[in-house]
Amino acid sequence: MYALVDAVSFYASCEKVFDPFIRNKPVVVLTNNDGCICAVCPIARRLGVPKFKPYFQIKHFLAKHNVVVRSSNYELYASLSDKMMNVIGRFCDNQYVYSIDESFLQFKNYQTMINDWHAYGAEIRRAVWKETRLPVGVGFGSTPTLAKAANHAAKKLAGYNGVAVVDDVVSRKEVLSKMAVTDVWGIGSKLGKRLNVLGINNAWELANRSPKSMRSQFSVVVERTVNELNGIVCLNWDEVKQAKKEIFSTRSFGQRVNDEHSLKTALVSHGVIVGRKVRRQQSLIKRIVIFAASSPHDDNYYNKSIVYEFPVATDNTLNIANAISAAFSGVYVSGVNFYRCGVGAITLENSQFQQHDLFIPSEDSSELMHCYDGINNRYGNDTLQLAAQGRVEKWRMRRDFLSPSYTSKWRDIPKISC
DNA sequence: TCTGGGGTCCTAGGACCC
DNA sequence: TCTGGGGTCCTAGGACCC
């Protein structure tokens, strides 16, 4: 049995945790630079606020309906996510944190111990609410895709109250026939349209197609999805948990950048983030891409990327920074008003099987990086930083509606006065 | 006046080689 | 004179997710 536990509009719910005055109000959270809407609380959803609409296009509507608007406060969300995941982890010895607000649980050998999954799910919800004040939905299913579907039912369909179990034909038909095909994990809008043409409109209809024909008409991914909807596990646990094959850090600037120094410091800062993520999953970078671009909405769209290949795969931040310096002249052109840039590790290797170069003396930098990560983990990222990351960042993102960092900054800790 | 997220994986198609 | 296979690697762009 698998479970998927995730929060109800996580970012918006986080904003409500330490600010009870907005708990019963419509709340939305914006993406970086206050660009788009990325989280809509249930109250705001009922007003008809759409997800991922550019903020400036819907500003007036929000103001008219007194919707509370917040910028993304990642420090707060990351800290609340940790707390939430810890609580959830107590309910199963095999937890996989899938994203900031979702975790999969795999129950092996629990069948005899747990005879009422509904009750168990309700218990998880109660514990998370009690300890973090975050509302979650819990879905149980015999495959990861069915757990996802059950979670959808738990949160979106009437009568489930936050918990759903999909483990036999009856419950499968019940839930899947009420789900649009695009609500199935892995089926987006494009596939959805093509499936509609074939008369497949809901998840149950998809489940009843032959997997082989879905493979020939679409892809192996759709075939797998059909099998998963029928209770046949195709995404085995190790695959779900697999190490990432690419790791990126990209961002749009708070304001346009056109000087060399700003672009370079931004790129090095992205390189530092990529290095940190790569070390965390114990990979090494063989090839890295460095890119910078103007906005696709500009008249003269500029977008340039350079791939740099390391002679020996590395996880050392200093090597990454050097690669960026070497590639920089290839992406920078004076006169361009840069809108975004980023760094991505596109070919990764397992650090346990490093391929050395016969002619390059291997240097062991793991001590240095270990120490560097240790300090930054303890005292905060960028406590230790490279000179090349620069000091002033005039390109730092716009966050005009930022809430306090209640759990991670001394000056922001909530005070109780009598 | 102007504003438009970020991350990951997959696939089709081109280039190249034998 | 005309036709013509199959594999690997790479890249850009598509698709999906939250």
Side-chain angles (χ1 to χ4, degrees):
Chain A
M1 182 67 96
Y2 295 85
L4 179 72
V5 185
D6 80 342
V8 177
S9 53
F10 182 62
Y11 291 179
S13 296
C14 285
E15 293 293 336
K16 297 191 182 199
V17 170
F18 291 99
D19 194 349
F21 298 106
I22 64 170
R23 281 206 192 147
N24 296 315
K25 291 184 182 162
V27 173
V28 300
V29 179
L30 307 179
T31 56
N32 287 328
N33 291 318
D34 298 337
C36 294
I37 292 190
C38 71
V40 182
C41 84
I43 304 172
R45 195 179 305 132
R46 265 176 258 135
L47 289 173
V49 180
K51 231 177 161 185
F52 298 113
K53 200 167 183 63
Y55 171 59
F56 76 92
Q57 290 177 3
I58 199 176
K59 207 152 82 175
H60 297 295
F61 178 87
L62 299 178
K64 202 172 92 190
H65 291 85
N66 294 315
V67 176
V68 177
V69 176
R70 291 283 163 87
S71 303
S72 287
N73 183 344
Y74 292 110
E75 294 84 351
L76 177 67
Y77 310 151
S79 132
L80 292 183
S81 170
D82 278 352
K83 288 183 208 296
M84 177 176 106
M85 295 309 178
N86 276 329
V87 178
I88 296 167
R90 290 208 306 263
F91 289 84
C92 181
D93 60 5
N94 199 349
Q95 176 187 29
Y96 174 55
V97 176
Y98 182 69
S99 73
I100 194 165
D101 79 321
E102 290 174 278
S103 87
F104 277 104
L105 305 174
Q106 186 189 36
F107 297 91
K108 273 185 188 166
N109 313 319
Y110 279 74
Q111 259 68 6
T112 47
M113 289 156 54
I114 301 170
N115 50 29
D116 187 344
W117 292 103
H118 270 282
Y120 201 65
E123 212 180 306
I124 297 175
R125 289 190 77 217
R126 255 198 314 278
V128 176
W129 175 255
K130 189 175 168 203
E131 296 179 44
T132 67
R133 282 296 183 263
L134 290 167
V136 296
V138 185
F140 292 97
S142 35
T143 65
T145 306
L146 283 175
K148 269 267 191 190
N151 181 281
H152 172 88
K155 298 201 304 188
K156 301 276 168 67
L157 301 184
Y160 284 94
N161 279 324
V163 183
V165 183
V166 177
D167 59 348
D168 58 11
V169 190
V170 178
S171 54
R172 238 176 30 231
K173 183 170 183 185
E174 166 74 20
V175 165
L176 297 186
S177 59
K178 288 180 187 161
M179 273 175 73
V181 74
T182 47
D183 289 330
V184 174
W185 192 28
I187 308 290
S189 60
K190 288 282 159 64
L191 275 172
K193 284 204 184 82
R194 290 172 59 196
L195 288 164
N196 291 159
V197 173
L198 298 178
I200 302 169
N201 295 298
N202 64 46
W204 180 244
E205 286 162 355
L206 178 62
N208 283 300
R209 290 299 175 115
S210 106
K212 281 275 163 289
S213 77
M214 287 297 105
R215 181 188 188 132
S216 63
Q217 289 176 78
F218 298 94
S219 67
V220 63
V221 184
V222 179
E223 179 191 29
R224 249 185 258 155
T225 301
V226 172
N227 279 322
E228 284 255 324
L229 288 176
N230 284 293
I232 300 160
V233 177
C234 296
L235 302 164
N236 70 54
W237 190 243
D238 295 331
E239 252 168 66
V240 175
K241 294 175 77 163
Q242 232 170 29
K244 296 199 178 5
K245 295 171 180 166
E246 296 179 345
I247 291 179
F248 274 77
S249 174
T250 73
R251 199 119 308 165
S252 47
F253 297 113
Q255 49 180 293
R256 297 291 180 118
V257 153
N258 53 28
D259 66 292
E260 245 180 292
H261 179 255
S262 298
L263 183 63
K264 199 163 178 177
T265 54
L267 283 169
V268 171
S269 301
H270 288 303
V272 167
I273 293 170
V274 168
R276 187 162 66 222
K277 290 185 185 174
V278 164
R279 288 192 295 278
R280 197 179 301 150
Q281 75 161 28
Q282 298 184 355
S283 294
L284 296 170
I285 310 172
K286 184 61 180 162
R287 293 189 319 151
I288 200 165
V289 62
I290 291 115
F291 79 90
S294 64
S295 164
H297 301 284
D298 289 353
D299 285 340
N300 302 313
Y301 179 43
Y302 174 91
N303 185 1
K304 187 73 192 291
S305 64
I306 299 281
V307 174
Y308 181 95
E309 180 160 347
F310 292 103
V312 177
T314 182
D315 65 358
N316 187 326
T317 291
L318 303 176
N319 292 341
I320 299 171
N322 285 334
I324 293 167
S325 294
F328 183 75
S329 60
V331 296
Y332 176 78
V333 169
S334 72
V336 174
N337 279 319
F338 289 98
Y339 176 74
R340 62 194 290 263
C341 72
V343 170
I346 51 172
T347 308
L348 292 169
E349 292 177 2
N350 188 321
S351 61
Q352 268 141 34
F353 308 104
Q354 184 172 21
Q355 177 74 53
H356 292 282
D357 187 308
L358 182 59
F359 301 105
I360 299 174
S362 63
E363 47 174 288
D364 187 5
S365 60
S366 57
E367 277 297 310
L368 176 62
M369 284 298 109
H370 187 72
C371 175
Y372 169 85
D373 286 337
I375 290 171
N376 283 339
N377 284 338
R378 176 153 180 193
Y379 298 103
N381 291 330
D382 290 343
T383 299
L384 264 188
Q385 57 168 294
L386 304 187
Q389 284 177 256
R391 283 198 49 79
V392 211
E393 295 102 358
K394 66 172 195 185
W395 42 267
R396 275 284 176 224
M397 59 180 150
R398 235 179 11 249
R399 296 202 283 183
D400 291 341
F401 317 104
L402 190 61
S403 52
S405 293
Y406 297 104
T407 57
S408 53
K409 287 200 178 117
W410 284 109
R411 59 149 212 269
D412 289 347
I413 288 185
K415 298 174 196 66
I416 299 169
S417 47
C418 308

